[in-house]
Amino acid sequence: MKKLINDPADVVREELQGIEAAHPDLVKVAYDPFYIARADAPVKGKVALVSGGGSGHEPMHGGFVGMGMLDAACPGEVFTSPTPDQMEAATKAVDGGSGVVHIVKNYTGDVMNFEMAAELCRAEGAEVESVVVDDDVAVQDSLYTAGRRGVGATVLMEKIAGAAAEQKRPLKEVADICRDVNSNARSMGMALTSCTVPAAGSPTFELGDDEIEMGVGIHGEPGRDRMKMKTASEIVDMMATAIVDDAPFSNGDQVLAFVNGMGGTPLIELYVVYNELNKFLAGRGITIARNLIGSYITSLEMAGCSITLLKMNDDFTRLWDAPVKTAGLRWGV
Amino acid sequence: MKKLINDPADVVREELQGIEAAHPDLVKVAYDPFYIARADAPVKGKVALVSGGGSGHEPMHGGFVGMGMLDAACPGEVFTSPTPDQMEAATKAVDGGSGVVHIVKNYTGDVMNFEMAAELCRAEGAEVESVVVDDDVAVQDSLYTAGRRGVGATVLMEKIAGAAAEQKRPLKEVADICRDVNSNARSMGMALTSCTVPAAGSPTFELGDDEIEMGVGIHGEPGRDRMKMKTASEIVDMMATAIVDDAPFSNGDQVLAFVNGMGGTPLIELYVVYNELNKFLAGRGITIARNLIGSYITSLEMAGCSITLLKMNDDFTRLWDAPVKTAGLRWGV
Amino acid sequence: MSEEVSVSYDDVVALMKTYAAAIAENKQSLTELDSAIGDADHGINMDRGFQAVIGKIDTVTSGDIGALFKTVGMTLVSTVGGAGGPLYGTLFLQLGVATAGKDRITAEDWSAALTAAVSGVQARGKAESGDKTMVDALIPARDAFAAALTDGADLPAALRRSADAAEAGMTATIPLVARKGRASYLGERSAGHQDPGATSSALLLRTVADAWAGDASTTTEEAHDG
Amino acid sequence: MSEEVSVSYDDVVALMKTYAAAIAENKQSLTELDSAIGDADHGINMDRGFQAVIGKIDTVTSGDIGALFKTVGMTLVSTVGGAGGPLYGTLFLQLGVATAGKDRITAEDWSAALTAAVSGVQARGKAESGDKTMVDALIPARDAFAAALTDGADLPAALRRSADAAEAGMTATIPLVARKGRASYLGERSAGHQDPGATSSALLLRTVADAWAGDASTTTEEAHDG
Ligand SMILES: Nc1ncnc2c1ncn2[C@@H]1O[C@H](COP(=O)(O)OP(=O)(O)O)[C@@H](O)[C@H]1O
Ligand SMILES: Nc1ncnc2c1ncn2[C@@H]1O[C@H](COP(=O)(O)OP(=O)(O)O)[C@@H](O)[C@H]1O
Ligand SMILES: [Mg+2]
Ligand SMILES: [Mg+2]
Ligand SMILES: [Mg+2]
Ligand SMILES: [Mg+2]
């Protein structure tokens, strides 16, 4: 394992120290327990957005803390859900009196830890709404599984709901916007290579020199299918077909197209993928109204990409365009 | 070789189509020959900035075209300098009547092609100033070599000079700011893994499972030394020492610290590196006044990082903070 | 009723230390199991949690076994994360609730505690038998322990039967298709792999059986019926 | 002066096609040489350029060898990029300047053209003999060709001596430490590797020698002393 780290046990702490040193204008960092909060938190009269998850997906979530997006992020160990005490402390630190939304990606660990945290917070009188993101069409959704994983839609939800919160919309409405984003978004990912969890020291999975993992999860969970390497055009076709056929996209729709790098994918490839996606959607009569291209929800150094489509409406578009000032996403200010 | 591409021969064209489809508000793309220009070019009365180089370093340069930064970028084939006809066409397309600066990274190919282009442009009456970036301390600078390579300082130069041009400063002054940035900046890079040029199909160099290449170039050129894997702290110490000892940094200085990922490096590692750099500089009495952390000048999917330090002055700081609106760098607007 | 053998506060402390050592020793193999059908962190997570437990356990000096288990549970909740954190945290918290105020625990106490712990894990994780989770080791362990007591086994013997049942349950997860947790994303592809959580749970029950096997440290007392 | 052998317009067209084929065939080995001390693209770049030349060459029908070489040079400049583009572009542009208006070229013409081409490459790249560049193949080729003519050799023989000298110059780059181009970044580490540009240049001279070896396609004419 070759990584730009010191001791694997210290990676998250040292990353936080780096973030604290780099962005004092945007965030403040707490170490016991770990969380990252907006520099100006709590913002009085604003619904606060708290998210979190395992580390190793940077810039998500810590890089999305700031004006117009998250109020706090709780980083777990690499690929491991954070703990309830982190979420509880973060929630208290950013609660501006108008309630807090917990944005939870649908993984058993995240869901259970956030559940315990919400119980603790509510016991102390905080108003907490939990929303679960589950947009990954790679996973069969059924009563007999943990359900779909939360992936790319999380980034879009944090931006759009963050803008709504900034406009001082009430708790219920902000939480409903989150749910609305979730039900109008679908994602699918694929990997060209595995990633290596620092503490594990060896690749999470093995892929042949001519193999790809279609439908991979953001923690290197195996996907739908292992298959032979394909062209970008074939790969996009498979992913976009799975997404579009799942609903809710149809001819005439306006979408936000998010082409995401998994961490080890060069930008040049993401633009090749975007080009293919653009052609694919044009063929289905779907218009890309907004886009996001880059590595925003990553899996350490995994090479590969994911595609997320969000069906847009006027409110989503205005909220997406609203100013945002975070280390990972910034415009309008 | 596993990459998200179709035919290696089409990578650059398809990337450009992706960029064109994604950012019509920022840029327009020409295909014969290839260049990317500001959507509103030529901007009358403003000095135009043109850069270019091999592809595979994205977002540099195409991702830096837009308000407050470049007027045009000429993408060559992957890791291959573009040709004079591209530079000539781009120069003509963005010349707003106040002259054009060519920002040239110091590689034999880039220098010769830009030289031919400048000859062609001048022959047709255009006012062109060429500036050469050569900030890489990994390479011995002597009369008997091609001199130092141009690396990280290019990004900083394009931002700072771009802001100066936006303020309608005259040609000579904008070119002098470029030269000033160059003489106050130093960089050094290292690689954990090689990269693979799509048309070549196999890694440019081989590195053992426990080896790193210190002083690597952005085209996978071998560096100063191949050595055993080290901790982030040791690696930063070696790079930062080489930079700081080269000049022009001393106790009491304010610098811009740029921690750059090579393309395959996860952001979590860049923050660990930034943390080490911050401690190192504090130990030397050097203050980080501004920073930039991310993958901005890359080498395809190479894992590794580079560090660039730029000694700041008040003008640089104001120009750095000025609004910029490009696909790769954006703030203040 | 059989001759009463019970477990002291110090036995429980010793158990926690032994289990922490066992987790440390099996850290890599647990993580490898998790890399086949999960995200390659189960051993790492459990080890981080139990190292923290080790750091904390000697600061608890109440002599109250329930308080000790609760401390273990709280420590796990705040250091393990992932699915393992809330689940093992709940398991030990419920052991603590069931043994609150006791300085020794009998076979009956343990049976009740195990029952509470398994219920807690199921309430938190909503997993049923056969979902390919730690529950598949815990339910058989609980049932075998209760059955052994009914059969008149003494504590060491019952603990051995409980550990055997946990291991059988663990092995039985191999062919199962996961319906809960991260492995459920794999669908059919999860079959053929042993569940990591069931493995760490079986290891817990085996460690209990070995630690409280009736050697010097486990005190045999007069039955005091009641 | 020896019996005059000269090269026709069609011979030059044939040469360009043969060289393009030779580059295509050696694309990978040239790129491999470049990956040792450069950036692994020399063969790819040259091949892209000469494939473009092939696409263009039949559109030139003037019969003017100088115009043909200039088209080759311009095509290389606008398709090769890197260091190779301006250098090989200049080489062919200068061959074109030196042979402008000719429909046949003699040994003397070729000597003058080679001299102009080498000067052009040196003016553009500022490399001297021994800098470990294509110049290390070109200078010996130019000099050997001129010396052969002085010695009274005919065109085919002189071309062979020129190609031999280019290859010797190419091989002689192996121990050199590069002082120009990308390989110079390596310092001492560039020694021990053959220069890719010298290799493609030696290949050019060898292809010329083979193509114009005096077989059916190369016309032997009466000397017309002039
Ligand atoms: N809903 C659930 N109920 C009971 N046990 C579960 C559940 N989900 C997962 N598990 C157990 O958790 C184990 C994985 O733990 P761990 O790897 O620490 O967490 P994560 O899956 O978050 O990485 C699985 O092997 C399984 O035994
Ligand atoms: N200044 C120079 N003068 C002459 N030849 C040079 C010079 N610099 C480089 N070369 C030649 O160019 C070759 C490399 O060409 P190529 O790989 O196509 O370009 P690049 O180095 O830009 O990738 C070298 O092997 C060398 O022979
Ligand atoms: Mg996990
Ligand atoms: Mg090159
Ligand atoms: Mg796990
Ligand atoms: Mg090269």
Side-chain angles (χ1 to χ4, degrees):
Chain A
M1 175 181 65
K2 291 192 285 189
K3 289 180 184 287
L4 294 167
I5 62 172
N6 297 303
D7 188 324
D10 299 330
V11 172
V12 177
R13 175 181 298 275
E14 292 178 1
E15 178 205 10
L16 290 177
Q17 288 168 343
I19 290 173
E20 182 180 36
H23 310 298
D25 51 325
L26 299 174
V27 300
K28 48 195 178 195
V29 175
Y31 292 92
D32 189 19
F34 289 162
Y35 66 86
I36 301 174
R38 266 175 78 149
D40 58 350
V43 183
K44 247 193 117 59
K46 187 185 92 66
V47 170
L49 262 59
V50 174
S51 191
S55 293
H57 306 300
E58 290 72 13
M60 189 183 83
H61 299 275
F64 300 143
V65 175
M67 197 281 285
M69 219 162 161
L70 294 179
D71 292 80
C74 305
E77 286 300 316
V78 173
F79 287 1
T80 299
S81 157
T83 59
D85 53 325
Q86 292 177 257
M87 299 155 183
E88 187 195 2
T91 301
K92 282 186 190 160
V94 301
D95 188 347
S98 301
V100 182
V101 176
H102 283 180
I103 295 181
V104 186
K105 299 190 298 307
N106 189 36
Y107 299 93
T108 304
D110 293 66
V111 169
M112 289 193 300
N113 282 286
F114 265 108
E115 234 168 59
M116 291 181 91
E119 289 162 14
L120 291 168
C121 293
R122 288 192 194 110
E124 299 198 43
E127 247 194 310
V128 176
E129 281 254 12
S130 293
V131 294
V132 172
V133 196
D134 61 348
D135 56 317
D136 189 349
V137 302
V139 168
Q140 207 201 343
D141 188 15
S142 96
L143 280 176
Y144 307 107
T145 68
R148 287 178 164 173
R149 300 175 293 217
V151 287
T154 318
V155 179
L156 311 184
M157 184 186 297
E158 290 175 0
K159 167 67 186 84
I160 289 172
E166 212 65 55
Q167 295 177 350
K168 306 274 164 84
R169 300 200 196 176
L171 178 61
K172 177 80 179 53
E173 187 178 339
V174 174
D176 280 345
I177 285 174
C178 288
R179 294 181 188 112
D180 225 26
V181 168
N182 187 57
S183 58
N184 282 287
R186 296 291 186 280
S187 299
M188 175 120 163
M190 57 80 57
L192 298 170
T193 65
S194 178
C195 51
T196 297
V197 174
S202 54
T204 302
F205 59 97
E206 296 291 343
L207 262 183
D209 274 352
D210 60 342
E211 283 181 331
I212 60 176
E213 184 78 28
M214 183 58 71
V216 78
I218 57 169
H219 310 91
E221 304 100 320
R224 274 191 181 194
D225 244 326
R226 182 156 300 187
M227 52 182 69
K228 289 279 167 231
M229 183 61 200
K230 305 215 170 329
T231 63
S233 158
E234 291 164 331
I235 289 169
V236 169
D237 197 77
M238 295 182 69
M239 294 202 290
T241 301
I243 290 171
V244 169
D245 288 356
D246 192 85
F249 311 98
S250 48
N251 198 308
D253 279 348
Q254 304 260 320
V255 300
L256 188 162
F258 172 24
V259 171
N260 176 62
M262 289 296 198
T265 311
L267 196 52
I268 187 172
E269 296 182 25
L270 298 183
Y271 277 106
V272 170
V273 167
Y274 185 79
N275 185 44
E276 294 299 336
L277 181 62
N278 185 46
K279 287 190 287 181
F280 176 96
L281 292 175
R284 298 265 185 149
I286 297 169
T287 307
I288 302 181
R290 293 291 184 275
N291 63 65
L292 183 66
I293 303 166
S295 296
Y296 294 100
I297 166 170
T298 61
S299 304
L300 296 169
E301 73 283 9
M302 186 189 285
C305 71
S306 64
I307 292 174
T308 301
L309 297 183
L310 169 65
K311 182 170 164 179
M312 295 297 269
N313 58 40
D314 289 347
D315 196 30
F316 282 1
T317 304
R318 273 189 302 268
L319 293 169
W320 179 258
D321 290 343
V324 58
K325 186 176 178 183
T326 69
L329 216 58
R330 182 165 173 184
W331 56 71
V333 63
Chain B
M1 174 181 66
K2 290 192 286 188
K3 288 179 184 289
L4 293 167
I5 62 172
N6 296 304
D7 188 325
D10 300 330
V11 172
V12 177
R13 174 181 299 275
E14 292 178 0
E15 178 204 11
L16 289 177
Q17 289 168 344
I19 290 173
E20 183 181 35
H23 309 300
D25 52 325
L26 299 174
V27 300
K28 48 195 177 194
V29 175
Y31 292 92
D32 189 20
F34 288 161
Y35 66 86
I36 300 173
R38 262 175 80 149
D40 58 350
V43 182
K44 249 193 116 56
K46 187 185 91 67
V47 170
L49 263 59
V50 175
S51 192
S55 294
H57 306 300
E58 290 73 11
M60 189 183 82
H61 300 275
F64 300 143
V65 175
M67 198 281 283
M69 219 163 162
L70 295 179
D71 293 82
C74 304
E77 286 299 317
V78 173
F79 288 2
T80 299
S81 157
T83 60
D85 53 325
Q86 293 176 258
M87 299 155 183
E88 187 195 1
T91 302
K92 282 185 189 160
V94 301
D95 188 349
S98 301
V100 182
V101 177
H102 283 179
I103 296 181
V104 186
K105 298 190 300 305
N106 190 36
Y107 299 93
T108 305
D110 293 67
V111 169
M112 290 193 299
N113 282 286
F114 265 109
E115 235 169 59
M116 292 181 91
E119 288 163 14
L120 291 167
C121 294
R122 289 192 194 108
E124 300 198 43
E127 248 193 310
V128 176
E129 281 255 11
S130 293
V131 295
V132 172
V133 197
D134 61 347
D135 56 317
D136 189 349
V137 302
V139 167
Q140 205 201 344
D141 189 14
S142 99
L143 281 175
Y144 307 107
T145 66
R148 286 177 165 173
R149 300 175 292 215
V151 288
T154 317
V155 178
L156 311 184
M157 183 186 296
E158 291 175 0
K159 168 66 185 86
I160 289 172
E166 213 64 56
Q167 295 177 350
K168 305 274 163 85
R169 300 201 197 176
L171 179 61
K172 178 80 178 54
E173 188 178 338
V174 173
D176 281 345
I177 285 173
C178 288
R179 295 184 186 109
D180 226 26
V181 168
N182 188 56
S183 58
N184 283 288
R186 296 289 187 280
S187 299
M188 176 121 163
M190 58 79 59
L192 297 171
T193 65
S194 177
C195 50
T196 297
V197 174
S202 55
T204 302
F205 58 97
E206 296 291 344
L207 263 183
D209 274 353
D210 61 343
E211 283 181 331
I212 60 175
E213 184 77 29
M214 184 56 71
V216 77
I218 56 168
H219 310 90
E221 304 99 320
R224 275 191 179 192
D225 244 327
R226 182 156 300 188
M227 52 182 68
K228 289 279 168 230
M229 183 62 200
K230 306 214 170 332
T231 64
S233 159
E234 291 164 332
I235 288 169
V236 169
D237 198 78
M238 295 183 70
M239 295 203 288
T241 301
I243 289 171
V244 169
D245 288 357
D246 192 86
F249 311 98
S250 48
N251 197 307
D253 280 348
Q254 303 260 321
V255 300
L256 189 162
F258 172 24
V259 171
N260 176 63
M262 289 297 197
T265 311
L267 196 52
I268 187 171
E269 296 181 26
L270 297 183
Y271 277 105
V272 170
V273 167
Y274 185 80
N275 185 44
E276 294 298 337
L277 180 62
N278 185 46
K279 288 190 287 181
F280 176 96
L281 293 175
R284 298 266 185 147
I286 297 169
T287 307
I288 301 181
R290 294 291 184 276
N291 62 64
L292 183 66
I293 303 165
S295 296
Y296 293 101
I297 165 170
T298 61
S299 303
L300 295 169
E301 73 283 10
M302 186 190 283
C305 72
S306 65
I307 292 174
T308 301
L309 296 184
L310 168 64
K311 184 171 163 178
M312 296 298 269
N313 58 41
D314 289 348
D315 197 29
F316 283 1
T317 304
R318 272 189 303 267
L319 293 169
W320 178 258
D321 290 344
V324 59
K325 187 177 176 182
T326 69
L329 217 57
R330 181 164 174 184
W331 56 73
V333 61
Chain C
M1 178 152 299
S2 68
E3 180 198 28
E4 185 96 305
V5 181
S6 73
V7 169
S8 72
Y9 182 86
D10 289 344
D11 292 334
V12 178
V13 171
L15 166 71
M16 294 321 308
K17 292 187 177 175
T18 314
Y19 186 57
I23 286 291
E25 197 179 315
N26 288 280
K27 176 177 167 180
Q28 191 158 352
S29 64
L30 290 171
T31 295
E32 273 161 24
L33 288 176
D34 197 30
S35 85
I37 53 171
D39 60 349
D41 64 0
H42 186 61
I44 301 164
N45 294 347
M46 292 291 281
D47 186 50
R48 185 175 53 249
F50 280 94
Q51 290 310 314
V53 165
I54 289 303
K56 210 148 213 178
I57 205 162
D58 290 327
T59 68
V60 188
T61 50
S62 64
D64 176 346
I65 293 175
L68 181 68
F69 276 135
K70 276 188 218 160
T71 301
V72 171
M74 295 289 285
T75 305
L76 295 178
V77 165
S78 67
T79 57
V80 176
L87 292 168
Y88 274 98
T90 300
L91 189 155
F92 283 97
L93 284 172
Q94 291 301 325
L95 289 180
V97 170
T99 57
K102 296 191 192 287
D103 62 351
R104 302 195 70 89
I105 49 177
T106 64
E108 277 69 28
D109 292 337
W110 184 244
S111 189
L114 260 188
T115 302
V118 175
S119 301
V121 169
Q122 287 196 278
R124 179 59 64 202
K126 317 269 178 321
E128 301 294 332
S129 216
D131 284 353
K132 195 179 183 109
T133 70
M134 59 195 283
V135 161
D136 291 326
L138 293 174
I139 288 180
R142 174 198 67 191
D143 294 346
F145 189 83
L149 294 195
T150 307
D151 295 351
D154 65 2
L155 177 60
L159 287 174
R160 273 195 300 277
R161 278 174 59 180
S162 171
D164 291 346
E167 282 166 4
M170 163 191 95
T171 312
T173 63
I174 297 178
L176 296 178
V177 172
R179 284 190 298 241
K180 278 282 177 289
R182 203 176 288 282
S184 73
Y185 304 139
L186 285 181
E188 302 292 328
R189 291 168 77 191
S190 63
H193 300 278
Q194 183 167 307
D195 180 62
T199 309
S200 53
S201 287
L203 184 63
L204 174 61
L205 277 304
R206 175 61 62 202
T207 308
V208 171
D210 289 349
W212 298 343
D215 62 10
S217 74
T218 309
T219 323
T220 303
E221 287 194 348
E222 287 300 298
H224 47 88
D225 260 19
Chain D
M1 179 155 295
S2 67
E3 183 200 24
E4 183 97 305
V5 182
S6 72
V7 168
S8 71
Y9 183 86
D10 289 345
D11 292 335
V12 178
V13 170
L15 166 69
M16 294 320 307
K17 292 186 174 172
T18 314
Y19 186 57
I23 285 291
E25 197 179 313
N26 288 279
K27 177 178 168 181
Q28 189 158 355
S29 63
L30 289 170
T31 294
E32 272 161 24
L33 288 175
D34 197 31
S35 85
I37 55 171
D39 60 349
D41 64 0
H42 186 59
I44 301 163
N45 294 347
M46 292 291 281
D47 186 51
R48 185 174 53 248
F50 280 94
Q51 290 308 317
V53 165
I54 288 303
K56 209 147 212 179
I57 205 163
D58 289 326
T59 68
V60 187
T61 50
S62 64
D64 175 346
I65 293 175
L68 181 68
F69 276 136
K70 275 188 219 160
T71 301
V72 171
M74 295 289 286
T75 305
L76 295 178
V77 165
S78 67
T79 57
V80 176
L87 292 167
Y88 274 97
T90 299
L91 188 156
F92 282 96
L93 283 171
Q94 290 301 323
L95 289 179
V97 170
T99 57
K102 296 191 194 287
D103 62 350
R104 300 194 73 86
I105 50 177
T106 64
E108 277 70 27
D109 293 337
W110 184 244
S111 188
L114 261 188
T115 302
V118 175
S119 300
V121 169
Q122 287 196 277
R124 178 60 62 202
K126 316 270 177 320
E128 300 295 332
S129 215
D131 284 354
K132 196 179 183 111
T133 70
M134 58 194 284
V135 161
D136 291 328
L138 293 174
I139 288 181
R142 174 197 67 192
D143 293 347
F145 189 82
L149 294 195
T150 306
D151 295 352
D154 63 2
L155 178 60
L159 287 174
R160 275 194 300 277
R161 280 173 60 181
S162 173
D164 291 346
E167 283 167 2
M170 163 191 96
T171 313
T173 63
I174 297 176
L176 296 177
V177 172
R179 284 190 300 240
K180 278 283 178 288
R182 203 176 288 282
S184 74
Y185 304 139
L186 285 182
E188 303 290 330
R189 292 167 79 190
S190 63
H193 300 279
Q194 182 169 307
D195 180 61
T199 309
S200 53
S201 287
L203 184 63
L204 174 61
L205 278 303
R206 177 59 63 202
T207 308
V208 171
D210 290 348
W212 299 344
D215 63 11
S217 73
T218 310
T219 324
T220 303
E221 286 190 348
E222 285 299 300
H224 47 88
D225 259 21

